[in-house]
Amino acid sequence: RKAMGGHLVVSRKVEEQQEEKEAQTDDQKRESFEWSPNEVLAAAEAGVLEAALPALFQQSPLSALERVAQLVCLFRKEGRRLARLDSEGSDKLSEKLVTAQQMGRGLLGALEPVHVQHLFLEEGADLARPKPSKTIAALVLADCKVLLADAQLQRAIDTLWGVVPPDGVADAVSMALRCLWQFGLIVFVPPYANWLAAERNRNVKTARQGVIERNPLPKKEFYSEGVLVDFKVENRWVSSSYTSKDNIGTWKQATDIFNARREALVDEKEMMEKCKYTVLQPQAKFFISAVALLLLAVFLTALPAEASTWQIVSLLIWTLQLILLETIELFAYPVMWRADPLNSLEFGAAILAALGLAKHLLISSSAMLISGAIVLIFISQSARLLEKSPTCGPLVLMVIRMVGDTFNFLVLIAGTLVGFGCGFVALFKSSTVTLGDDCAVLDDGKGSSGVAGVVVFLLEVMLGSDNQLGCLRDSESVMAVIFMDCYLLIAVLLGCNMLIALMAKTFDVVYEQQGVNFMYLSALLTSAWLEAGVVPPPLTLLGVPYLLFAWIQGKLCTCSFQKLEEEAAGEENHTASSLKVRIPSIHVLRESMLRCVEEHAGQEDANEKWRTSLVKQVAQVAAQVAAIKDEQLRQATRVMEELAKVKEQLVEQK
């Protein structure tokens, strides 16, 4: 019996392990989210998402929002594939793409604003549920601008980004001194950031529990029938209701008002506690990193031509740290890193600066590489600082997209440039015609640089340089003048107007959705800087001695350092359990979702051009006018029939 019992236990353990492996495999399949085209089209059918999303949202709101982002990516990808094969199917997926985001907004609208903010609290991220930064990043990478424009979601993102500004000069000075003190400790003792986060979570939890304990919710069963009960927050009256059985609606309304006032007070107390730890906020990390890079550009500018070795080595170590940091972020979060084009500028600036400083140290001065790095740093950091401006942030996004339009235009015009360059080289290769100095680049007998030099010459002509038609006419070569006229017609007249049209389209798309694009940039910066470190290069080197000491201490005595980190993580997870988000029933979630879809019916994606929207509105108006004409025609027909009947009755009476 013992052997059989032991065998049964072992077999059960094996079955449990197999079930766990199968569950992990299913989770990995769900994470990969690779669907066939038929499955994508099936998910776009009416009623599928309406039934699935509320149930998933009730179990895990953040997972439901991530699933919406994944569905948007699938619908957009499949819609682009079907655009060449089935225009109706592509239009259907484009509409479903917007509808899925509206469903997400409707599900968030079913929650109270306070609960939405608690849902996205980064310091309350439990290991059992997705991290809020991951959810926001998924929405950003899927380009869910319709969902990111939700007011409650934006308030939650703003809460994650920074804290309330100081009330006065004294408060600002106190906050600045506290930040400097905390930042200095984190520089020399890097784990202090985790301990500080644990202390912040503990104080926030204490403040929240203190407000709840001082302002308990009145219970109806503690009062006799028909008694008037006052609901008070901090001894201030907010609502009242009788305890009679026929007064359930009024009691619920009074309870809702009391909960809203108490939650507002809780948020105020929590924000006051968070103001004491401003250095941990993404806003502080963002500005500290930008200031550090601008200082690097200033130091590179002020670097003398005959700089000492220690100056070059210091700046070289600084740039190498930047390269290492950007490389780690690129491999750790590749999609998120590529979502912000300014990261590429910073990476390129660090590489140019490191190469220039290394060449200056080993061989000779390299002003070209260092000057290029300085230009890239100033461009990237000025654009990054302007991204948080509601007015200039969308303009930065517009410029980035116009750079892409320019690249596409150059790819398109490259064949024309190379073709005319080869034509000019072949035309003057064996010719005895002597060209002037202005057209010497085309004359092979005067040391022309070949096809490459002619292509550069033609590109400069297209950018606004002199077209050199005068010296070509002086050469008495009719074919050269015809070549240049054809080139000017194709490259300047057609090509430049095409580039202007592309930029005008980009301007219309971005400027028409200026507010939505600013919300998108806010979500992008928040999700990126939530995971960033507090200390930027080169100050990270100052924490190396402590980390080395902690590593040696951990090898000799594994007691203090690891326990402190575990306690910090425990405090973080324990805070998450105290933030309870009340999620409504599936029926309420479904009604809120369908109501939001109905209210925003006809809304298009944020990237849709306003002229296309206008054409569709005109088509809808024309359809409505046609329907009204048909209705009036039917009414006129009925009136004529009634008149005919009346005439027949009159004839019969006569």
Side-chain angles (χ1 to χ4, degrees), residues 330-458:
L330 176 60
F331 284 97
Y333 311 101
V335 181
M336 196 67 196
W337 189 88
R338 289 192 296 267
D340 190 356
L342 298 181
N343 291 330
S344 302
L345 292 181
E346 294 176 358
F347 197 21
I351 292 175
L352 289 178
L355 292 177
L357 292 171
K359 183 179 179 183
H360 187 76
L361 181 64
L362 300 176
I363 304 175
S364 62
S365 177
S366 180
M368 182 180 65
L369 295 175
I370 295 178
S371 61
I374 293 171
V375 171
L376 290 181
I377 290 176
F378 274 108
I379 291 176
S380 62
Q381 296 314 302
S382 60
R384 191 176 292 283
L385 291 174
L386 291 176
E387 280 183 340
K388 287 304 296 180
S389 171
T391 304
C392 299
L395 299 181
V396 173
L397 184 62
M398 185 187 304
V399 171
I400 292 173
R401 293 188 177 182
M402 285 183 178
V403 171
D405 294 338
T406 306
F407 177 77
N408 293 333
F409 169 75
L410 291 177
V411 172
L412 181 64
I413 205 70
T416 303
L417 290 173
V418 175
F420 276 98
C422 294
F424 274 112
V425 169
L427 181 64
F428 291 103
K429 180 180 293 184
S430 59
S431 176
T432 58
V433 177
T434 302
L435 297 176
D437 294 335
D438 294 336
C439 298
V441 68
L442 303 175
D443 192 352
D444 187 63
K446 289 192 175 184
S448 172
S449 56
V451 177
V454 178
V455 169
V456 173
F457 169 75
L458 295 176

Side-chain angles (χ1 to χ4, degrees), residues 65-131:
L65 295 179
E66 291 183 14
R67 188 52 51 94
V68 169
Q70 293 168 341
L71 287 170
V72 167
C73 291
L74 289 174
F75 290 155
R76 183 179 289 113
K77 180 180 178 181
E78 188 64 20
R80 291 173 180 172
R81 189 186 69 85
L82 289 178
R84 304 185 302 269
L85 306 173
D86 184 8
S87 59
E88 294 183 0
S90 178
D91 294 339
K92 178 182 177 181
L93 288 176
S94 299
E95 294 176 359
K96 204 65 178 180
L97 180 149
V98 180
T99 303
Q101 299 181 58
Q102 293 170 355
M103 290 179 181
R105 294 185 65 174
L107 293 173
L108 286 176
L111 301 179
E112 297 181 7
V114 175
H115 293 164
V116 175
Q117 291 190 11
H118 289 170
L119 190 66
F120 283 89
L121 282 177
E122 178 67 17
E123 67 271 13
D126 192 1
L127 298 177
R129 65 182 179 91
K131 298 184 68 174

Side-chain angles (χ1 to χ4, degrees), residues 261-277:
R261 295 290 181 86
R262 189 174 67 174
E263 291 294 341
L265 181 62
V266 167
D267 289 341
E268 181 181 354
K269 297 297 183 182
E270 289 181 351
M271 193 59 65
M272 291 175 61
E273 291 296 331
K274 290 180 182 178
C275 288
K276 301 177 182 178
Y277 307 93

Side-chain angles (χ1 to χ4, degrees), residues 585-615:
S585 62
I586 296 180
H587 178 69
V588 175
L589 291 173
R590 179 181 173 83
E591 287 185 351
S592 176
M593 181 182 66
L594 297 179
R595 191 186 313 115
C596 181
V597 173
E598 184 178 357
E599 290 176 356
H600 297 85
Q603 182 180 0
E604 299 178 349
D605 194 9
N607 294 326
E608 186 73 19
K609 192 175 180 181
W610 67 272
R611 292 192 183 95
T612 305
S613 177
L614 181 62
V615 170

Side-chain angles (χ1 to χ4, degrees), residues 556-576:
L556 298 177
C557 177
T558 59
C559 53
S560 59
F561 183 71
Q562 295 180 355
K563 286 185 177 180
L564 287 173
E565 288 190 341
E566 292 176 358
E567 291 177 1
E571 288 289 342
E572 184 176 357
N573 296 332
H574 190 62
T575 306

